[in-house]
Every structure is written in structure tokens, then in C-alpha cells.
Amino acid sequence: MSYLNKLNRICSTLNLPYSVRFNHAKQLKSDIQWRHIDKVLIANRGEIACRVMRTAKKLGIRTVAVYSDADKHAMHVEMADEAYHIGPAPSSQSYLNAAKILEVAKKSNSQAIHPGYGFLSENVEFCEKCANENVIFIGPPTSAIRDMGIKSTSKAIMSSAGVPIVKGYHGEDQSIERLQAEAKKIGFPLMIKAVRGGGGKGMRIAMTESDFLPQLESAKRESLKSFGDDNMLLEQYITDPRHVEVQVFADMHGNAVHLFERDCSVQRRHQKIIEEAPAPGISEETRKALGEAAVRAAKAVGYVGAGTVEFILHRVTHDFHFMEMNTRLQVEHPITEMITGTDLVEWQLRIAAGEPLPVTQEDIVRRGHAVECRIYAEEPRAGFLPRAGTLHRLTQPTPEENVRVETGVREGQEVSVHYDPMIAKLVVWGRDRNEALLKTRRKLSEYQVAGLETNVNFLLRLSGASAFVAGDVHTAFIPQHDAELFPPADAQLSDERAIQAALGHLIKSQSDVSSNDSWKGISVTPNAWRPNYNLQKTVNLKFDENDINVTVKYESAPNTYLVKVNDGEFIPAEARVQTTEQGLRLIAKIGDKTSNVGLLTHESEVHVYDENGQTVVTLPRPKYQALAADATASADSACSPTPGVLERVLVNKGDKVVKGQPLFVVIAMKMEYVVRSPRDGVVADIVSLQQGDAVGKGAQVVLLQGEN
């Protein structure tokens, strides 16, 4: 064991602060560049800021948070030892304000900045400014960020290092004519990628030559908005590949290791949604080759710290090609920690302070299988459009030894239109893949969310889909399994669920003093005397576009009823509502089956939760609300599909338009959404909005009329 490892063991036993370890090590070994860290500023927000703070505090390092107007009461602000306001809600004026963040670092006497992921984590200029201000940037050297951040440069370096690459155009000539000519040479389908891109932003696929220019223009706009650069590279698009990445770590002493691979193939909008480690179905020979190629990549750029080398893997042959290197900690790093028993943030802090890697490649052992699900506020059936608003209810799974819930929001807080709509990451470990997936589905079923739609139900279906369970994963998985992942609405709402929703609503309404429900025949009190023994009520529910009528009449015994759905037969039922720490539970016996499900009523919605996820049904609205909604819906208009910011209006009043023609562009969570005309017609009016104005979901922007 090296003297450094012995030192760390002794300091851990004595529970000495992290800074003390650095100072002692410096005295013991003066030829190593030791750097003192006892306070770190986290230049980020949300779950990753909270994640870094937990490890820093474990090591005795004080933490400093920064926050925008939108995050004044955020979880990461409350967790930090100190917090500083850095600007308005838009990230360009706050979390991307490098000068302000460095000013806070100096003011708070922070020796280091941890950038998390996104925002400034791969910003070369920020890394250089940190060095100039003598502030430690917890990440790789500027040269590595620059070389790997420019995808054309990274491809050349990887090719020289013997890492396989995909053919494409990575040149400096960015004229439209040159890009069109190179696209024809490569052939279609073709991938268009922002040179400085990441996270699916600035990425488009041109399936045919006629698609190329519109997709190129869209990718350029999005890239300029997200990265301040609209340079593009073009690559052959490998149809339905797997997306496999390798976690690497390197120190300042020339050591580099890999911590095995992660499979991130199943994606929507070119963004990961569920990840697992190790990758299912690949041989040990391929696994070894992937790891060795990743380490060669890291050494080729003189890497230091945490990085991820991403590969495209052929579904059948398992041949792989370098895609890109992310010079930061990845969102999905916890699954690597779960299968290797490591704390990668601790490694980042140690290596930034000058320590060597704590292990060699031979010391790193893989055990079991881990799965991560990203819980987003989004609408899967509407193309996974992001949603913003208040989380009126948020109940998450209880963390356990092999279950982590990484989050940065609480019930009652906002998911802002200005940032990524991630609510949490659910991370689960099992002894093998089957056990990990079973635990994942069980934990997903414990989520209870109201106020915003989420992807939890979708993740439940995805993690239980037959092809996914079999390990047949690839980047086109979601569209190829559309029927299983998006079943018809009427196949989802059973009579049992409709009855549960109706009984839950009626019982809950009687315990709510503010309820306007006029039926007082049902009591939440188990043994209440109910004189209206022949009372009957029909509850009108709407699920998706379907109307369901549940008729309930009660028997003379407390909590007993006869129920029927639509024109079906009456069946006996018993029901009561119970209050628990996790919220309301409805215990209902319908026919001969007893169930215990979660219950929540919110405004005109009734939410029922069980092992299949969440079902939301709506109750009839008052007449004046329904009439107003119908009047709005009947107008010929193009509306924003999501809360966001109006980027551009592409038409003028009086223009003739055809069905499918782009009318305006909305930016939400840094993603671009082009809204198209629902029919042929003429632009009758454009709502008085300016570029940069906020728009809500369903907000009218362009009004249409028939052609004269």
C-alpha cells in the first residue's frame, strides 16, 4: 500500500477533516502538487448541486451555493453552508455568468469550483479564468476540454490514438454549400451535430437530401442558443445502434483507469431516459476492448479527473466507434458507483487536490447490476414535451441501502421553464439485471406526483417491456415499440380503477369542509350513521377523451356500497380512506378483490396510484369554465405546445399557409419546438407577443381563417 493510501486510512480512522489530510500529505511529500481545499463552490443547481454537497460535507469540506431568482428557495440553497444570489432566472444571466460566479468564489474564499454537469462544466474560457484567478476548477485541464469539446478535433485525436471513429465531415469550412456537398458524399441518413454540443442539443437527423437544409438550420439555431456557436459536423448515421459509454478517471500523476461501461441506448429527443450498468448482452472480450479504448482516449488528451468516452455500438456485431468524450461528471454516474462501490465525486475532489487515483485497474471489481431512471416533468404522449409549473404533490420512494433518489426539488416547488425539467433520478442496484429491473419497477410505483405530468408511467412500461427485459436495447427502441409503450387509453382504465377513483372522490369530498359536493350520504368516519339508505349518485369521470359514468349507491352498513360502471351490473364494494405519512390510501374491496392504493384529489383531478403507476381522471368543470374552454378550443389557432419563450414568428398577418408549414418557434428547457399550421388557411392575426416573451402551454400565438 502506498504512503498516500496509508495516510488516507489513518485520517479516516481518526476522522480528520479533508483539508488536514492535504496539509499532512504536503508535509510528507513535497514533490507532489498538493492543493488545499476546505471550501468548494458548486456552480450549478438542482440534484447535481445537492449530490456534490453531500460528499463534500462527508469529507469536512464547506460548501457554497449560487442561485438565480427562480431558485431562491431551492433545495441546494438550503443545503449549502453559504449561498449567494447571482442573477435573474435565465441561465445566460445567472448560471452561465462566469464573471459573477468567480466573483462569488473569491468573496466566499472558496479554493475550488465544482461545475457539476451542463452550464459551465465544459466551458474552456471559464476553466482558463479559474486558473487565472488561482481557483481550482474541479475537472480536466483546459486543453482536454478544448480538444474534446470541439468534436472535429476530438475525432482526429481519437483516430491517431487508434480509437475507431465514424466517417464524416469535421472540417472548418462551414459554408452551406460545403456542408451540402459533404452531406452528399457521406450519404443519407445523416447525423448533423453541433461541434460544441451535448445533451442532444443542436443535433438533428436528415433522413433524405430534401431534409438536410431545414434540419441544418434548426440545429444551428439551437446550438447557437445553447452553446453560443453554430458550427456543425456531419456523420454517417448508423441506423438503430446502441449507445454505450465508459467511465474513465485519471490523475495528475499519469495514471488512468476505467470503471466499466454503461448502456444509455434508450433515448427520446436524443437524450437519455434510462441507463444501466453494465451493458446487457456484451461479451467480456468486448467489455475489455471498450475499457481499453476509453483509457487510450483519456491518455491521448492528457486527461485529469472524471470523464466519459461515448461509443456507438453495432447491435449485432458489437463493433464500436468513438462518438464523443464528455469532459465532466455524467448525469448517470451513480449507476457506476453502485456496481463498483465508489464515490466518484470524492475521487474528483481528491484528484483536484493532487492525490493519485486510490486504486489501480486491477483493484476495480464489478458487482451486480444498476439501473437509473430519470424522472422528468414531461408529457410522453405529446412527444415528451417538457412541462413547467408547481409540484403540488411530490412523494418519492424511500431511499434504502441499494436505492438512491437523487433530487433537487420538494413538494410545492416550481419546475422552471428556464431549466431542465428533471425532478429526480431513481437509482437501483440488484444482484443481477432481473433483480435490478424488478426493484426499479417497484420503486417507480411509489412515486406520487400532482400538478405536472411526469414520465413515471412511461418508465414503468418501458422497464417492463418484453424487449427491454430481454436486453434488446438500441436508440430506436421507443419508436419501434410504440404500441407497447403507448397503449390505447381505453386499455389502461379498468372498471376497477374507475370505481376506485369515484369512491375515493366521494369519500374524500365528505371529509373536505370546503367541498362543494352536495352529496352528504357518505362519511369518511368508519361507523358513521347514514340515514339516506337509498341514496344513489352517478360520478362523471373523464379519462383521456373517454367519458365514464360510475354509479354508486350505498348499503345500510357503514362503508358498503353497490357500484357499476356505465351500463354494467351492480357489484358490492367496501371502501375507506386512511391517512399515512405518504399521503392518503384508499382501501377498497370491489367484488372479491381488496386493494390498497394511493389517493390524491387536486382541483378537478382524482389521482390513483398502484403498482402500474398513476391514473388521473378529471371531474366535470363548472358550466362557465366549460363554455370558456369550448370557445377557445373552437377558434382556429396555432398554440404553444409547452410553456416556454417565444423565439421567432415565421409568418405575417395575411400570409397564406398550408398544413404543416412552420408558423413560430418556442424555446423550452433549451430545446427548440417548431409549431406548424394545423390546416391550410390565411393568417388572420398574430397575438401581440415579442421575441423573448414567455408563453404558457396552450397559449394562442397565430390565429387562422379560411381562404377567401
Side-chain angles (χ1 to χ4, degrees), residues 85-359:
H85 177 253
I86 54 171
S91 55
S92 60
Q93 301 173 53
S94 51
Y95 296 104
L96 290 173
N97 188 339
K100 184 66 175 179
I101 289 172
L102 271 169
E103 177 189 319
V104 171
K106 302 295 284 186
K107 183 189 298 184
S108 63
N109 295 316
S110 298
Q111 295 91 9
I113 292 177
H114 194 302
Y117 54 73
F119 294 132
L120 295 170
S121 63
E122 296 178 283
N123 186 293
V124 173
E125 292 76 17
F126 180 64
C127 185
E128 289 176 337
K129 288 177 181 177
C130 287
N132 293 338
E133 294 291 335
N134 199 29
V135 175
I136 300 167
F137 178 83
I138 299 178
T142 303
S143 58
I145 298 176
R146 180 183 294 109
D147 290 345
M148 293 296 98
I150 302 173
K151 289 181 170 55
S152 52
T153 304
S154 69
K155 303 282 183 180
I157 293 172
M158 293 303 105
S159 182
S160 299
V163 180
I165 64 171
V166 178
K167 74 172 183 176
Y169 175 70
H170 314 128
E172 294 183 6
D173 185 348
Q174 289 286 306
S175 67
I176 299 298
E177 295 76 17
R178 180 61 183 273
L179 292 174
Q180 280 184 302
E182 293 295 336
K184 289 180 182 178
K185 286 182 187 177
I186 298 166
F188 295 90
L190 181 82
M191 178 72 79
I192 304 167
K193 297 168 94 173
V195 164
R196 295 180 180 271
K201 298 176 180 67
M203 183 185 295
R204 297 292 187 273
I205 298 170
M207 298 303 294
T208 64
E209 187 175 343
S210 63
D211 292 337
F212 180 71
L213 277 180
Q215 297 287 32
L216 175 66
E217 290 168 0
S218 179
K220 278 178 165 288
R221 285 195 302 269
E222 191 169 276
S223 177
L224 191 62
K225 177 69 66 174
S226 298
F227 312 111
D229 186 303
D230 67 352
N231 285 347
M232 294 287 137
L233 61 82
L234 310 176
E235 287 183 347
Q236 175 191 13
Y237 179 64
I238 300 174
T239 306
D240 304 346
R242 289 176 64 175
H243 180 144
V244 176
E245 61 188 31
V246 179
Q247 177 73 61
V248 294
F249 245 97
D251 61 24
M252 300 176 190
H253 307 265
N255 305 307
V257 297
H258 70 81
L259 291 94
F260 305 108
E261 80 288 346
R262 302 183 285 253
D263 194 298
C264 310
S265 299
V266 181
Q267 304 177 9
R268 88 287 185 257
R269 301 200 316 262
H270 306 300
Q271 290 183 314
K272 303 160 190 173
I273 190 171
I274 187 168
E275 303 101 340
E276 55 183 313
I282 68 171
S283 67
E284 289 302 317
E285 181 182 5
T286 300
R287 179 167 287 120
K288 184 172 183 290
L290 280 164
E292 290 174 348
V295 170
R296 287 200 304 274
K299 289 185 173 181
V301 292
Y303 203 79
V304 174
T308 301
V309 184
E310 301 193 353
F311 297 96
I312 290 293
L313 186 99
H314 194 283
R315 285 175 65 188
V316 179
T317 66
H318 289 181
D319 292 337
F320 58 88
H321 299 87
F322 173 82
M323 183 167 58
E324 63 184 6
M325 184 175 189
N326 289 314
T327 54
R328 54 174 168 78
L329 198 65
Q330 291 278 85
V331 176
E332 58 273 17
H333 76 274
I335 53 176
T336 294
E337 295 179 323
M338 295 289 256
I339 67 166
T340 57
T342 55
D343 182 335
L344 299 185
V345 174
E346 180 175 347
W347 282 26
Q348 284 188 298
L349 292 166
R350 290 186 180 282
I351 287 169
E355 289 193 32
L357 283 166
V359 296

Side-chain angles (χ1 to χ4, degrees), residues 445-446 460 497 500 596-598 608-615:
S445 71
E446 294 179 16
L460 270 165
R497 184 54 60 88
Q500 289 169 343
N596 186 328
V597 298
V608 180
Y609 308 88
D610 67 4
E611 70 276 4
N612 296 313
Q614 170 181 265
T615 300

Side-chain angles (χ1 to χ4, degrees), residues 411-580:
E411 182 172 302
Q413 293 185 328
E414 295 277 332
V415 174
S416 172
V417 68
H418 296 284
Y419 313 118
D420 188 88
M422 185 190 292
I423 295 171
K425 300 182 311 195
L426 173 65
V427 187
V428 177
W429 181 90
R431 288 170 294 182
D432 55 34
R433 188 169 185 268
N434 285 338
E435 181 179 297
L437 288 176
L438 284 171
K439 284 185 179 179
T440 296
R441 291 193 289 274
R442 178 170 59 83
K443 287 298 175 180
L444 281 170
S445 71
E446 294 179 16
Y447 271 93
Q448 296 187 15
V449 186
L452 291 174
E453 184 169 353
T454 73
N455 64 341
V456 170
N457 281 13
F458 175 80
L459 288 168
L460 270 165
R461 292 191 295 270
L462 172 60
S463 58
S466 54
F468 186 87
V469 172
D472 183 19
V473 292
H474 51 87
T475 56
F477 187 93
I478 292 175
Q480 283 192 11
H481 297 277
D482 181 83
E484 186 175 4
L485 298 176
F486 297 100
D490 58 358
Q492 295 182 24
L493 189 68
S494 63
D495 285 357
E496 177 187 28
R497 184 54 60 88
I499 292 170
Q500 289 169 343
L503 289 173
H505 159 64
L506 291 173
I507 296 174
K508 178 66 170 62
S509 70
Q510 303 315 303
S511 64
D512 186 354
V513 175
S514 64
S515 172
N516 292 321
D517 196 306
S518 61
W519 188 35
K520 303 301 179 184
I522 293 183
S523 172
V524 75
T525 308
N527 298 311
W529 175 58
R530 297 184 299 184
N532 301 323
Y533 65 91
N534 61 352
L535 186 62
Q536 176 174 306
K537 186 173 180 70
T538 298
V539 182
N540 307 116
L541 304 174
K542 183 177 283 294
F543 179 78
D544 199 44
E545 296 301 319
N546 302 314
D547 292 309
I548 303 104
N549 295 320
V550 180
T551 303
V552 180
K553 59 180 177 178
Y554 78 90
E555 300 285 79
S556 55
N559 305 318
T560 60
Y561 316 93
L562 290 175
V563 294
K564 72 173 183 177
V565 177
N566 295 326
D567 296 325
E569 298 292 325
F570 277 107
I571 58 174
E574 299 176 18
R576 60 188 175 88
V577 170
Q578 185 179 66
T579 301
T580 70

